[in-house]
Amino acid sequence: MQYSEKVMDHFSNPRNVGKIEDADAVGEVGNSKCGDIMKIYLKIDGEKITDVKFNTFGCGAAVATSSMATELIKGKTLDEVLKLTNKAVIEALDGLPPAKIHCSVLAEEAVKAAIADYYKKNNIPLSDELTGCKGCCGACGQKEN
Amino acid sequence: MIVYADNAATTAVSKKSMEAMLPYFDKYYGNPSSVHQIGREAAKTLIEARKFIAQTLGADEKEIYFTSGGTEADNWAITFAANMGAKKGKKHLITTKIEHHAVLYMFEKLEKEGFEVTYLDVYKDGIVKIEDVLNAIREDTAFVSVMYANNEIGTIQPIAEIGKLCREKGVLFHTDAVQAVGHLPINVKDENIDMLSLSAHKFHGPKGVGALYCRKGIKLESFLLGGGQEMGKRASTENVAGIVGMAAALNQSAAEMTENEKKVKAMRDRLIEELTKVPHSILNGHRIKRLPGNVNFCFEGIEGESMLLLLDMKGICASSGSACTSGSLDPSHVLLALGLPHATAHGSLRLTLSEYNSENEIDYIIEELPKIIQRLREMSPVWESIIKEEE
Ligand SMILES: Cc1ncc(COP(=O)(O)O)c(C=O)c1O
């Protein structure tokens, strides 16, 4: 299996690693049974993500997709971030091996879980994108059907 | 610095093995079945190699069949033993939960074909209990297959005891000794082994060549049909150079076994001792009854592939039983058989040493590995919750 240079760069020098103690929102997805857990912390000012950090338990691709996802959403508005797809993460990383696509799905879901957390805390109704995992990758064992 | 600590995956070909092989590519390149002198030269060599390999195992030369490696030897032995059992109406088979896939997938296939399989437990330390074998054997048991030593956790099974039991009960006994041959003293007669698989590339021989030992008196069926090679049991022109290389490598491994074992064990034990000091680390497999070069740990809170990538950046070549390295979502069946939780099994690391490693290299691993573990734990939400629970 071969990772792209971008993946290796984000794995060996992950951006935005850490925690935000007074985060406005936290999203956690995956489970340790399947081998990947991502936790994303957000600082949100009005509509804008002003800071983001992540913690990840997982393989090289899991770390790299978390890192890239945080880069893609930093400084963006919530509306923009809601449009983030796992495809965008894959493209930004110059591709992922097929067996690792689920890591990018997890990264997208971690971001969305964090925004959902923010909306819940602020009594904002959840939009369609946020009504939970589509279970499409099957990676987390939380398949909907 | 490059530290190769993945000798259970494969080994470097030894100088002696390589030198022994070279003339068989361009000088004695003949087909051993040919009548002419170039062919005869190759045939003569095969006889010697077969004799030598038989001798090393305490077997007779007529009991050794060359194969394309460990997988073929396993597939052949199991296919044959199951067929033979079925002919006598015996359709119960016994193996363990920790076999290599070359064995395990054969049993899964046989189950689909109507055989019943008992998968023996290996408990926490990765070793089969002899009374479990005894209890599992039935009137309709066709054969028992228990690996000599495990490729992941290195545990050595009580083969002589199982062999004795099977012989008493009149049940055929096969052992996958791919990880053991060249590293542990083996005598098929003393240990009552009926069939044994071996592979050259695990003891500094070339890849793609191995052998099946099958005791005289057992009417082994052909595996590949075609020419009359291997006493008519396995057609295909012999891999002469490979077989010569295998014999040379085994010759050397057997001669240097005691010396190598001492050296490799010392390095293994130092690594185990130091890595045990890492908090939340678990040694997998029995502390003593394990291959001289096998070190296998789980480090809680981190994932194996990440560990391998960071080790690789430091020049350390190792392997892991994590899902991400197996291409499935489940961690290794061997680690799960030990009763480890999935999350812990994902954090496994296997370092397998040979006499080509040095104490310096062990120092280097001991220096670098804990830093890598620390780094991954710092960014792990699983580690965070482990620490929280402790407080
Ligand atoms: C225990 C065991 N059995 C069988 C095999 C397969 O051997 P080969 O690669 O020669 O087919 C291996 C090697 O990976 C092994 O470790």
Side-chain angles (χ1 to χ4, degrees):
Chain A
M1 191 189 53
Q2 196 64 44
Y3 284 135
S4 71
E5 266 175 45
K6 272 260 179 66
V7 171
M8 285 313 290
D9 174 34
H10 274 261
F11 168 71
S12 44
N13 305 294
R15 328 292 199 262
N16 309 308
V17 180
K19 289 192 281 188
I20 301 175
E21 293 301 341
D22 59 341
D24 296 311
V26 182
E28 183 173 331
V29 294
N31 65 49
S32 56
K33 189 169 182 285
C34 74
D36 296 296
I37 295 187
M38 289 179 195
K39 200 167 178 179
I40 288 197
Y41 300 82
L42 299 178
K43 232 15 222 171
I44 297 168
D45 186 6
E47 261 296 295
K48 214 170 183 173
I49 294 180
T50 53
D51 197 10
V52 49
K53 295 269 188 235
F54 81 90
N55 265 197
T56 287
F57 164 89
C59 60
V63 174
T65 53
S66 317
S67 166
M68 182 52 89
T70 59
E71 283 288 272
L72 290 175
I73 66 172
K74 207 174 187 174
K76 299 269 167 64
T77 66
L78 294 184
D79 280 344
E80 286 169 325
V81 169
L82 281 175
K83 293 193 194 94
L84 175 82
T85 62
N86 74 306
K87 274 211 187 79
V89 177
I90 297 174
E91 271 165 28
L93 286 170
D94 293 339
L96 278 177
K100 302 292 183 178
I101 300 296
H102 74 271
C103 293
S104 67
V105 177
L106 220 54
E108 176 192 331
E109 285 174 357
V111 168
K112 289 185 173 158
I115 297 180
D117 180 52
Y118 179 71
Y119 283 175
K120 275 183 211 150
K121 279 182 180 152
N122 293 283
N123 296 315
I124 303 169
L126 298 191
S127 52
D128 281 350
E129 298 103 309
L130 294 177
T131 45
C133 169
K134 294 168 207 79
C136 49
C137 71
C140 58
Q142 293 170 340
K143 258 188 195 126
E144 267 191 335
N145 46 22
Chain B
M1 176 134 107
I2 296 283
V3 178
Y4 185 74
D6 202 12
N7 286 281
T10 195
T11 57
V13 174
S14 73
K15 278 231 161 53
K16 280 188 182 158
S17 172
M18 210 147 65
E19 280 165 12
M21 283 191 276
L22 284 176
Y24 291 88
F25 289 108
D26 60 353
K27 201 163 166 211
Y28 310 124
Y29 49 80
N31 188 322
S33 303
S34 301
V35 171
H36 50 67
Q37 51 185 318
I38 302 264
R40 285 200 308 272
E41 199 58 51
K44 223 168 74 193
T45 305
L46 275 189
I47 292 170
E48 274 160 31
R50 197 185 309 276
K51 241 190 215 152
F52 177 75
I53 289 169
Q55 253 171 28
T56 313
L57 298 171
D60 188 276
E61 62 200 276
K62 290 201 184 70
E63 299 174 312
I64 301 295
Y65 301 87
F66 294 126
T67 67
S68 64
T71 302
E72 187 191 325
D74 284 338
N75 279 218
W76 187 0
I78 293 166
T79 304
F80 159 69
N83 272 345
M84 204 166 76
K87 277 183 197 157
K88 296 179 191 154
K90 296 182 172 185
K91 298 197 79 176
H92 174 241
L93 318 171
I94 301 172
T95 188
T96 77
K97 290 182 178 166
I98 60 165
E99 296 298 313
H100 189 273
H101 286 131
V103 169
L104 213 52
Y105 287 162
M106 288 303 297
F107 280 99
E108 286 177 14
K109 177 170 170 268
L110 289 168
E111 269 183 305
K112 286 195 194 106
E113 292 169 6
F115 286 85
E116 188 187 333
V117 181
T118 301
Y119 295 95
L120 299 170
D121 217 328
V122 295
Y123 303 91
K124 242 178 60 203
D125 57 6
I127 294 179
V128 165
K129 287 201 171 121
I130 189 78
E131 56 265 37
D132 286 353
V133 184
L134 176 66
N135 291 335
I137 293 178
R138 314 190 310 211
E139 279 293 302
D140 64 337
T141 301
F143 72 99
V144 174
S145 179
V146 174
M147 71 199 312
Y148 209 108
N150 183 266
N151 46 303
E152 283 186 48
I153 56 174
T155 48
I156 300 168
Q157 304 301 333
I159 293 303
E161 287 174 72
I162 298 172
K164 185 163 172 274
L165 177 66
C166 289
R167 191 60 58 85
E168 280 165 12
K169 296 278 174 189
V171 178
L172 207 62
F173 176 46
H174 165 254
T175 184
D176 172 348
V178 168
Q179 291 287 339
V181 171
H183 303 279
L184 302 173
I186 296 175
N187 186 300
V188 290
K189 295 282 177 294
D190 294 349
E191 297 171 66
N192 289 304
I193 296 166
D194 293 317
M195 293 191 283
L196 175 146
S197 311
L198 66 93
S199 179
H201 72 104
K202 309 289 187 181
F203 50 83
H204 304 293
K207 293 161 187 63
V209 58
L212 174 65
Y213 153 81
C214 184
R215 184 169 60 81
K216 250 185 291 184
I218 299 171
K219 278 210 162 61
L220 184 64
E221 287 167 3
S222 307
F223 198 54
L224 298 181
L225 305 182
Q229 292 91 352
E230 298 302 293
M231 299 157 267
K233 305 291 189 199
R234 197 244 185 216
S236 184
T237 302
E238 299 86 342
N239 175 3
V240 179
I243 292 165
V244 169
M246 170 161 68
L250 190 58
N251 194 352
Q252 192 178 3
S253 297
E256 297 169 5
M257 192 179 287
T258 320
E259 183 190 330
N260 288 343
E261 182 180 337
K262 201 168 145 230
K263 179 184 175 192
V264 175
K265 253 189 186 162
M267 293 191 284
R268 174 198 76 181
D269 290 344
R270 203 152 69 81
L271 252 187
I272 290 179
E273 205 172 293
E274 290 301 320
L275 296 179
T276 306
K277 292 180 191 160
V278 173
H280 289 268
S281 65
I282 302 156
L283 174 70
N284 296 314
H286 195 280
R287 174 66 187 82
I288 311 291
K289 293 177 193 165
R290 67 193 303 135
L291 287 167
N294 180 286
V295 176
N296 190 312
F297 272 89
C298 281
F299 301 106
E300 286 189 83
I302 61 176
E303 192 280 329
E305 192 208 73
S306 293
M307 205 169 5
L308 293 186
L309 291 170
L310 291 176
L311 281 168
D312 188 39
M313 286 177 200
K314 294 285 178 188
I316 300 169
C317 309
S319 91
S320 166
S322 89
C324 289
T325 55
S326 73
S328 79
L329 291 171
D330 283 322
S332 118
H333 64 286
V334 177
L335 299 175
L336 295 180
L338 300 179
L340 289 174
H342 274 71
T344 308
H346 284 300
S348 81
L349 177 71
R350 180 185 75 176
L351 296 158
T352 42
L353 312 171
S354 85
E355 65 275 21
Y356 292 15
N357 292 110
S358 67
E359 291 285 352
N360 267 350
E361 294 177 345
I362 304 302
D363 290 337
Y364 182 65
I365 296 173
I366 291 169
E367 189 184 314
E368 295 300 331
L369 180 54
K371 285 191 261 180
I372 287 170
I373 296 166
Q374 177 64 19
R375 174 175 166 182
L376 289 170
R377 280 178 172 172
E378 270 166 18
M379 66 158 102
S380 163
V382 176
W383 180 246
E384 190 188 354
S385 46
I386 291 171
I387 292 303
K388 253 193 206 132
E389 268 171 41
E390 275 194 344
E391 280 167 0

